[in-house]
Amino acid sequence: MEKFVITGGRPLEGEVSISGAKNSVVAIIPAAILVDGQCTIENIPDISDVKILINILRDLGAEVNFEDKDTLSINSQHINSYTATYDMVKSLRASYYLMGALLGRFKKAEVSLPGGCDFGFRPIDQHIKGFEALGAKVKIDHGIVKLEAERLVGCQIYMDVVSVGATINIMLAAVRAEGLTIIENASKEPHVVDVANFLNAMGANIKGAGTDVIKIKGVSSLAGGTSHSIIPDMIEAGTFMVAAAATRGDVIIKNIIPKHIESLSAKLIEMNVEIQEGGDYVRVIGVDEIEKANIKTLPYPGFPTDLHPPTSVLLCLAKGTSTVTEGIWDSRFQYVDELKRMGAKIKVEGRVAIIEGVEKLSGAPVKATDLRAGAAMVIAGLVAEGDTEVYNINYIDRGYEDLEVKLKRLGAKIIRKE
Ligand code: EPU
């Protein structure tokens, strides 16, 4: 088991380049199952979720090779299995995208229920509703979702909740269905757009991604032969923005789409942090007096739930009392007990964290309870007095490429230890 050891108290300074988006790539690699020929995917982040997905595709019979460090070529022509077993998917929440992709390709799929981060009940009823509307019969048997359709036929689906996963999954199943599928109340997240752009580049006909109505005209096959570059990771970008502000540093976060992270920039400005925005970068200049703020997480373009735990660390250092209301997940507050061990004053009432600003945090052994909670612990360690040990960093490795390497380049004192 590895851990991070962080000596806090150093402002982050310099430039950091953001990698490809985790939540895009974990959908686009399975989407390649729908492509009959070869496709090339650029800007692949080096994270463990990607490694797991590559192994799953190889197990299914695809040819997957790195052309260089961050360019992957996938040829799914010889995939001969529609089954993803528990052993293959147990540590990967996004394995649910295998359902839509395999169903779209084979009209049949058997996929074990997903693993991944645990922050409350994570239903897939909207995914299933979409698959059924397209004509699939869905059964859950001994933890395996079994899907089968004689034909997949386009239809109109109204999503009861705005779901990233269900929107993408239905899109995957619909691209090779017969006729027109319309998804209403769709998720507008940038990675939904990225998946649609990837599929369109391969020959699909998807319009409206990025709005709440997506129209997918089915095509008989996706020829591939082209390449697609993954969008920058807005959550990684946001994590570095918060880390820069919390350490009272001065960091240029490069290779991003600033629009994707506007909800955070606006909040940081409200907190008195200086933000300078360029075409593909944001510069964050920390201040001594951080103002309190109230945040509510919402579907995009609202404040992202995945930045809730990191931002709470910043609010711990603000003047006065702030609140964070979690609007997406039932339970995303496991990080609170860990932060309290470092001197934070946080009370949780239902879905609201009430955060009273403190003078300082003090280093302590803490654990990452999930991916973004792990990022929050690292930021807490960077600002705390003394040493912080962060355990369970395998969660962090799932979604952040070289986090400690990038932080070290910005002047942090952080090492990875067995
Ligand atoms: N929901 C349902 N039924 C469904 C699906 C979702 O009720 O069938 C509910 C969920 O319980 C939740 C809300 O809808 O309350 C939103 O869930 P969504 O489906 O959008 O989440 P997801 O697709 O499972 C993705 C990201 C998460 C991120 C959420 C919200 C991926 C692989 N994961 O999850 O990212 O928190 O969207 O933005 O894209 C992370 O990166 O750390 C992470 C957890």
Side-chain angles (χ1 to χ4, degrees):
M1 268 298 185
E2 289 179 324
K3 64 180 176 187
F4 285 143
V5 181
I6 306 167
T7 307
R10 299 174 164 219
L12 298 184
E13 275 163 8
E15 294 187 351
V16 60
S17 187
I18 297 305
S19 305
K22 163 190 158 282
N23 287 345
S24 241
V25 75
V26 297
I28 287 178
I29 293 178
I33 291 173
L34 290 158
V35 182
D36 293 307
Q38 172 154 326
C39 58
T40 307
I41 311 168
E42 294 160 15
N43 203 27
I44 298 272
D46 184 11
I47 54 176
S48 63
D49 270 12
V50 164
K51 293 186 184 109
I52 297 171
L53 270 168
I54 290 175
N55 286 335
I56 292 176
L57 256 72
R58 284 185 179 142
D59 282 351
L60 291 171
E63 233 177 79
V64 189
N65 294 302
F66 272 100
E67 287 179 12
D68 59 47
K69 188 186 150 289
D70 57 3
T71 306
L72 196 63
S73 81
I74 302 180
N75 191 335
S76 297
Q77 210 174 355
H78 300 298
I79 286 191
N80 47 22
S81 165
Y82 52 79
T83 305
T85 61
Y86 184 69
D87 263 356
M88 288 155 88
V89 307
K90 62 180 179 240
S91 54
L92 187 72
R93 175 76 194 162
S95 56
Y96 52 43
Y97 291 131
L98 295 164
M99 294 180 210
L102 289 168
L103 181 66
R105 167 89 185 253
F106 295 109
K107 314 281 173 281
K108 207 167 172 172
E110 292 190 1
V111 179
S112 269
L113 281 172
C117 286
D118 175 18
F119 23 77
F121 181 50
R122 296 185 73 170
I124 53 164
D125 57 297
Q126 297 302 303
H127 305 233
I128 291 173
K129 172 177 154 169
F131 297 143
E132 285 177 339
L134 286 163
K137 289 208 166 60
V138 185
K139 235 179 18 182
I140 299 180
D141 207 5
H142 300 288
I144 302 165
V145 186
K146 297 183 174 171
L147 309 107
E148 189 162 10
E150 255 168 51
R151 296 162 63 204
L152 291 172
V153 183
C155 60
Q156 190 155 352
I157 303 156
Y158 187 90
M159 312 290 294
D160 301 333
V161 292
V162 178
S163 160
V164 180
T167 302
I168 293 177
N169 232 342
I170 296 166
M171 220 158 69
L172 294 177
V175 282
R176 289 174 64 161
E178 299 164 38
L180 180 69
T181 301
I182 301 177
I183 308 175
E184 292 192 77
N185 198 24
S187 159
K188 296 183 276 197
E189 298 270 341
H191 30 289
V192 174
V193 181
D194 205 29
V195 178
N197 286 342
F198 166 78
L199 290 167
N200 283 343
M202 301 303 144
N205 185 343
I206 304 172
K207 294 205 168 85
T211 75
D212 54 9
V213 182
I214 301 179
K215 295 185 179 169
I216 305 140
K217 228 186 235 171
V219 293
S220 55
S221 69
L222 299 183
T226 51
S227 65
H228 174 84
S229 181
I230 302 284
I231 54 168
D233 195 312
M234 65 180 202
I235 305 300
E236 188 197 6
T239 304
F240 277 99
M241 288 167 72
V242 170
T247 59
R248 275 86 169 178
D250 181 350
V251 179
I252 295 175
I253 294 114
K254 294 192 306 185
N255 182 32
I256 64 165
I257 300 171
K259 175 112 192 89
H260 290 171
I261 207 66
E262 239 168 20
S263 56
L264 174 65
S265 298
K267 272 295 158 195
L268 290 178
I269 290 168
E270 214 180 295
M271 290 178 214
N272 201 28
V273 175
E274 191 181 333
I275 301 287
Q276 295 170 4
E277 219 176 86
D280 64 351
Y281 72 87
V282 167
R283 179 175 176 191
V284 179
I285 305 170
V287 287
D288 286 337
E289 293 254 306
I290 300 163
E291 297 291 335
K292 65 184 170 149
N294 297 322
I295 291 174
K296 177 164 186 184
T297 69
L298 288 168
Y300 187 84
F303 193 93
T305 172
D306 295 339
L307 287 176
H308 156 179
T311 310
S312 291
V313 178
L314 181 60
L315 294 173
C316 284
L317 306 168
K319 211 170 58 179
T321 304
S322 307
T323 60
V324 181
T325 306
E326 175 53 47
I328 308 289
W329 298 112
D330 289 337
S331 141
R332 196 161 206 174
F333 293 103
Q334 289 99 321
Y335 72 91
V336 167
D337 285 339
E338 300 300 306
L339 276 187
K340 277 188 185 164
R341 303 182 59 248
M342 299 178 73
K345 285 196 179 154
I346 310 180
K347 200 164 75 180
V348 178
E349 283 179 7
R351 281 186 170 213
V352 185
I354 302 155
I355 304 172
E356 207 184 304
V358 292
E359 279 289 304
K360 59 177 173 58
L361 296 175
S362 53
V366 288
K367 62 175 189 286
T369 51
D370 65 57
L371 167 60
R372 309 302 174 187
M377 292 310 130
V378 170
I379 297 173
L382 293 173
V383 295
E385 213 175 61
D387 285 356
T388 296
E389 289 171 285
V390 183
Y391 290 87
N392 291 0
I393 61 172
N394 54 311
Y395 277 121
I396 298 173
D397 293 336
R398 281 191 44 214
Y400 288 93
E401 172 174 307
D402 291 340
L403 182 62
E404 80 275 24
V405 178
K406 291 184 181 186
L407 285 170
K408 256 189 220 160
R409 280 192 207 125
L410 294 173
K413 201 164 171 211
I414 173 168
I415 46 173
R416 182 184 285 263
K417 270 194 171 166
E418 275 298 321

